[in-house]
Amino acid sequence: NPFVQGILVAYWEAYKASELTRFASYSYWIEVWTYHERIVNALDHKEFPLGRQLLVEHFSLLKSLPTTAVVSPIESGQPFHIRKGEIK
């Protein structure tokens, strides 16, 4: 299905750009992949409610990742320069 393929490509490109993997510990990834395995097993055994429950739990793992603050030059009080043609 080209539509689904397009969504998956866009998702993985956004995921790579977010650099979430940079901040995650090894134990976090063990937990993530354990969820993946459990979800696949539930679907393989046609236990769809369990698969959905595991998916929801899996998504909640993102909340446990450390966050970073992004501060603009204006908020930081640091000088910044905009060259002609940079802002459209």
Side-chain angles (χ1 to χ4, degrees), residues 32-46:
V32 166
W33 286 102
T34 299
Y35 267 105
H36 291 176
E37 181 178 25
R38 292 174 65 201
I39 291 166
V40 168
N41 285 338
L43 297 177
D44 189 43
H45 290 96
K46 302 198 183 332

Side-chain angles (χ1 to χ4, degrees), residues 11 20 24 38 40 49 53 62 66:
Y11 170 83
L20 285 174
R38 292 174 65 201
V40 168
Q53 174 191 337
L62 285 174

